[in-house]
Amino acid sequence: MPTGITDTMPHWDELWVNAHLATLTVAAEPYGAILDGALATTGDRITWVGRRADLPGPPEQLARRVTSLDSAWITPGLIDCHTHLVFGGHRAAEFQRRLQGESYEAIARKGGGILSTVEATRAATEDQLTAAATSRLAALHTEGITTVEIKSGYGLDLETELKILRAARRVADAFPGTVRTTFLGAHAVPRDYAGRADAYVDLICHQMLPRIVEAGLADAVDAFCERIAFTPQQTVRVFEAARTAGLPVKLHADQLSDSDGAALAARFSALSADHLEHTNAAGIEAMAKAGTIAVLLPGAWYFTHATVVPPVDQCRASGVPMALATDCNPGSSPATSLLLMLNLACTLFRLTPEEALSGITRHAARALGFGDRGTLAVGQRADLAFWAISEPADLSYWMGANPCIGVVCGGRSALTRRPATLGGSGRARQ
Ligand code: NIG
Ligand code: FE
């Protein structure tokens, strides 16, 4: 035993010092910040968080490995809680049509939109889908993402929905972080069911969902409740089938019109209701009572030229936590940067930088049903991101920069990279 170590001293695997911590725990300091902090991990858990001055001994005697972070900031690993990462093709031509004035909804009504991606996804092989989604996830990962949700929903038949979910699981196998999969069979009414949406909902409830559950391919169920997709009544049927199958639900709610989607999601104790641009006051109140998280998707808002801002003030007043996500998909948000979403949420929806960072950490964790991540606290999963920034607001302030210098997933170092030069000191404030 090296000199100075006693039996009562902790023996951590890793200890990071000379770092500032944005713990995102509810504390007196903004961001739950601890300046000149230290953080230790053992196995896949965080085992110590605090001020370096309060460490119970000299760092080199407390852990197998001690790393100085040169005044970088540590945040929880970031969480992208709403993506459609697995899809075939792209929709650049629709982007150009929208630039000429056609709306997202009008294109969908003419048979484009989601249905055109369904065609491309049905035509793609599982290997092709896996490879494309893997590179999208790699882009997210370099920005400090350690947990991601992936929805199906571009198959709309059993075979292709299974193919998408299998691809998502394969992406997960090659990813050092965590992937959650969500079955979104109720994303659009497929062409062969045009005018027969109820019959398609029967297929979802009686054939697709049971098979997907049997194959263990989904962690949750989602639906698109909207005038171009499914009615509230049809959404209720999907949610009842999910409840029977024992899966939690989420909802694309009130994106283009007020369908009372938020209240419906709350009625089923949904993990989250997402988009929410047109949600009414009663819907937000119902979400507050049910503990349903609001997931705001500023990338989709920006990219589709939306004009109605989601009810941020009311979420604040009612105590509904607001998460943020990329919504990465080929139609409404072809985005693989969660950091950019921070900036968009601040500029477009007037979130504070602290609310924005909470939205991709602690609140995003809850939107996926996780209680073991999203903050830096003892006992939490050791998912960490390291940043060459002066203060946490830099993550919202810069547009298109990536100051992430390292990622740890479950206690294992998963990525180390050189930061972009941000100007200023480029160093954390002492
Ligand atoms: O979250 N709103 C529905 N689903 C996606 C868009 C999907 C698409 O256009 O391909 C969304 O915005
Ligand atoms: Fe979406």
Side-chain angles (χ1 to χ4, degrees):
M1 187 179 283
T3 332
I5 294 193
T6 68
D7 280 346
T8 53
M9 268 197 175
H11 302 289
W12 299 314
D13 286 348
E14 302 267 359
L15 175 61
W16 285 277
V17 293
N18 201 4
H20 305 303
L21 315 178
T23 67
L24 278 305
T25 51
V26 182
E29 289 299 317
Y31 301 92
I34 300 175
L35 296 183
D36 195 6
L39 184 145
T41 62
T42 303
D44 66 357
R45 297 289 131 180
I46 296 174
T47 39
W48 200 87
V49 178
R51 296 187 325 143
R52 182 171 55 153
D54 295 335
L55 278 168
E60 60 284 0
Q61 294 179 8
L62 295 170
R64 287 199 296 132
R65 192 157 69 155
V66 180
T67 308
S68 168
L69 281 177
D70 198 18
S71 299
W73 279 82
I74 307 179
T75 66
L78 306 185
I79 300 172
D80 195 351
C81 65
H82 178 144
T83 85
H84 308 249
L85 275 195
V86 179
F87 59 84
H90 63 83
R91 306 231 293 274
E94 284 182 12
F95 171 58
Q96 295 180 66
R97 279 164 70 184
R98 284 194 297 97
L99 291 177
Q100 279 156 22
E102 240 180 309
S103 73
Y104 177 83
E105 187 168 346
I107 292 170
R109 286 187 189 285
K110 287 178 197 157
I114 293 170
L115 292 185
S116 72
T117 299
V118 168
E119 234 170 74
T121 306
R122 287 180 179 176
T125 66
E126 189 178 311
D127 283 351
Q128 288 168 334
L129 294 176
T130 305
T134 298
S135 61
R136 290 171 199 132
L137 183 54
L140 289 171
H141 186 55
T142 58
E143 284 192 347
I145 281 81
T146 54
T147 298
V148 66
E149 186 250 22
I150 301 179
K151 301 176 194 295
S152 69
Y154 291 118
L156 311 185
D157 60 29
L158 176 60
E159 193 194 331
T160 318
E161 289 292 308
L162 284 169
K163 180 172 73 177
I164 294 169
L165 290 167
R166 278 196 305 268
R169 289 286 198 228
R170 283 172 60 189
V171 169
D173 289 344
F175 178 57
T178 310
V179 172
R180 276 286 185 255
T181 55
T182 300
F183 171 52
L184 176 56
H187 197 190
V189 179
R191 286 202 177 107
D192 43 335
Y193 280 85
R196 299 186 298 130
D198 280 311
Y200 178 61
V201 172
D202 284 342
L203 182 78
I204 291 174
C205 297
H206 302 309
Q207 294 188 40
M208 295 166 90
L209 184 57
R211 273 296 305 283
I212 283 161
V213 170
E214 186 187 60
L217 286 172
D219 304 306
V221 172
D222 195 347
F224 186 18
C225 182
E226 189 55 70
R227 56 195 179 201
I228 54 166
F230 296 91
T231 65
Q233 294 73 22
Q234 289 159 346
T235 304
V236 164
R237 290 178 56 211
V238 174
F239 279 7
E240 280 170 349
R243 183 186 274 163
T244 304
L247 289 180
V249 297
K250 309 170 76 67
L251 188 64
H252 283 72
D254 309 321
Q255 180 185 10
L256 308 173
S257 61
D258 181 2
S259 312
D260 259 335
L264 193 164
R267 190 141 56 86
F268 281 82
S269 304
L271 290 172
S272 69
D274 304 34
H275 288 288
L276 301 177
E277 282 80 345
H278 296 269
T279 292
N280 57 53
I284 296 295
E285 270 313 305
M287 286 173 64
K289 289 207 181 76
T292 297
I293 306 297
V295 177
L296 308 183
L297 302 167
W301 194 89
Y302 163 79
F303 195 74
T304 59
H305 307 277
T307 51
V308 179
V309 173
V312 166
D313 282 342
Q314 216 202 326
C315 285
R316 286 186 185 122
S318 306
V320 173
M322 293 176 282
L324 298 174
T326 59
D327 196 11
C328 176
N329 76 73
S332 69
S333 189
T336 55
S337 171
L338 191 57
L339 293 181
L340 180 59
M341 300 304 129
L342 299 182
N343 181 276
L344 294 182
C346 295
T347 52
L348 302 174
F349 298 165
R350 304 283 167 169
L351 264 65
T352 67
E354 187 179 1
E355 286 174 325
L357 186 57
S358 301
I360 58 169
T361 52
R362 52 195 285 252
H363 300 325
R366 283 187 57 193
L368 294 180
F370 285 116
D372 69 346
R373 64 196 67 191
T375 62
L376 301 180
V378 170
Q380 289 283 87
R381 192 178 153 78
D383 287 349
L384 313 171
F386 304 147
W387 306 95
I389 52 175
S390 305
E391 53 185 291
D394 282 352
L395 297 176
S396 294
Y397 162 67
W398 289 97
M399 300 175 70
N402 181 8
C404 182
I405 54 170
V407 183
V408 170
C409 292
R412 287 164 181 259
S413 181
L415 186 81
T416 311
R417 63 183 289 281
R418 291 164 70 87
T421 305
L422 295 183
S425 71
R427 284 285 161 81
R429 198 171 44 198
Q430 292 289 344

